[in-house]
Amino acid sequence: MRDLKNIVAAVKEYSDETIDEVSEMSEEIIDEELIIVDWREYDDAIVEMIAEKVGSTDQMSAELLDEELWVCFNDERYKLPLTMSGHDRYVTISSLAWLLREKYDFWLMATNIEDDTHQILITSKVESEKLSKEYKEFVKNQLVQLQIGFDYFNCVDIPYLENENNATIVLPDHKEQVVATAELEKKPWWKLW
């Protein structure tokens, strides 16, 4: 189990707005323990970052095929329900949180939840229990447990693995788009407008 005391101290220091500069040790702990996700991050990179944080007993990798993102997890393949929109960062995060839900919890740092870059702490169930018991105030003030199926950048419900109908957003209908493009290509250029 990781040293939660050092992680808690680093996150507290990082979150303290009165500190002008975070100590080098705290920066190293933040960089090592948290996943930093920008709203423009590549989804396959998110898979790789999360794969680094889960235990060595769980093997995870990303595979891009055309515009589809597949996750290989312990010899199983899963297609993530990407929307081809800015919502996909949390489609990916929620899908992986769903896939790992039996073993891990995902937490967001509360201090930057309204920013365009989020920091995520992934803890084992045992670590989560210890956090909740020994660091109640820290959890209450510094962390937000990830709500699977919610896009924290855009504040909407989104689809995720095995829950594709969860969304309040409209998913692109690729079949309709292909038909519309084909019809458009049939028209002579002078009739397009």
Side-chain angles (χ1 to χ4, degrees):
M1 183 184 327
R2 297 179 292 182
D3 185 356
L4 294 176
K5 182 180 178 182
N6 285 340
I7 296 171
V8 168
V11 170
K12 280 183 179 179
E13 181 181 338
Y14 189 86
S15 301
D16 188 354
E17 294 177 8
T18 62
I19 294 178
D20 291 335
E21 202 169 303
V22 177
S23 72
E24 201 172 300
M25 186 176 135
S26 289
E27 269 190 31
E28 284 178 25
I29 291 171
I30 294 291
D31 289 343
E32 188 176 310
E33 299 293 344
L34 276 67
I35 296 170
I36 299 170
V37 178
D38 183 79
W39 70 275
R40 298 166 296 190
E41 191 70 60
Y42 290 107
D43 295 295
D44 57 331
I46 293 171
V47 174
E48 298 303 328
M49 288 187 280
I50 291 173
E52 287 179 20
K53 301 300 181 203
V54 299
S56 59
T57 57
D58 294 311
Q59 301 299 314
M60 182 184 297
S61 63
E63 185 179 1
L64 277 172
L65 298 172
D66 297 321
E67 291 186 5
E68 297 178 343
L69 179 60
W70 291 81
V71 171
C72 299
F73 178 66
N74 294 339
D75 299 326
E76 296 286 330
R77 289 182 74 222
Y78 302 90
K79 180 183 167 204
L80 301 191
L82 297 182
T83 63
M84 300 305 153
S85 70
H87 302 291
D88 284 342
R89 272 29 69 199
Y90 273 99
V91 170
T92 300
I93 293 165
S94 285
S95 293
L96 296 181
W98 176 256
L99 192 60
L100 298 167
R101 70 191 179 279
E102 299 297 322
K103 295 182 180 181
Y104 301 95
D105 289 319
F106 286 54
W107 306 85
L108 287 86
M109 280 184 54
T111 55
N112 64 2
I113 205 160
E114 294 179 1
D115 295 343
D116 61 2
T117 301
H118 292 167
Q119 293 162 324
I120 300 170
L121 174 66
I122 300 175
T123 57
S124 68
K125 293 294 184 180
V126 172
E127 291 170 330
S128 294
E129 191 175 315
K130 185 174 180 177
L131 269 177
S132 297
K133 284 182 181 175
E134 296 179 23
Y135 302 100
K136 284 182 186 178
E137 283 301 308
F138 170 76
V139 171
K140 180 181 172 186
N141 296 323
Q142 302 291 335
L143 299 178
V144 173
Q145 191 160 19
L146 176 78
Q147 177 187 330
I148 296 176
F150 188 75
D151 176 355
Y152 286 86
F153 288 128
N154 299 293
C155 298
V156 294
D157 291 331
I158 51 164
Y160 58 97
L161 189 63
E162 297 180 12
N163 292 277
E164 287 78 5
N165 296 324
N166 182 61
T168 55
I169 59 172
V170 177
L171 299 177
D173 186 341
H174 297 292
K175 192 175 185 180
E176 283 183 21
Q177 189 176 7
V178 169
V179 170
T181 302
E183 288 299 315
L184 192 60
E185 289 172 354
K186 288 180 187 176
K187 291 185 178 184
W189 67 268
W190 65 86
K191 290 187 177 182
L192 292 179
W193 48 101

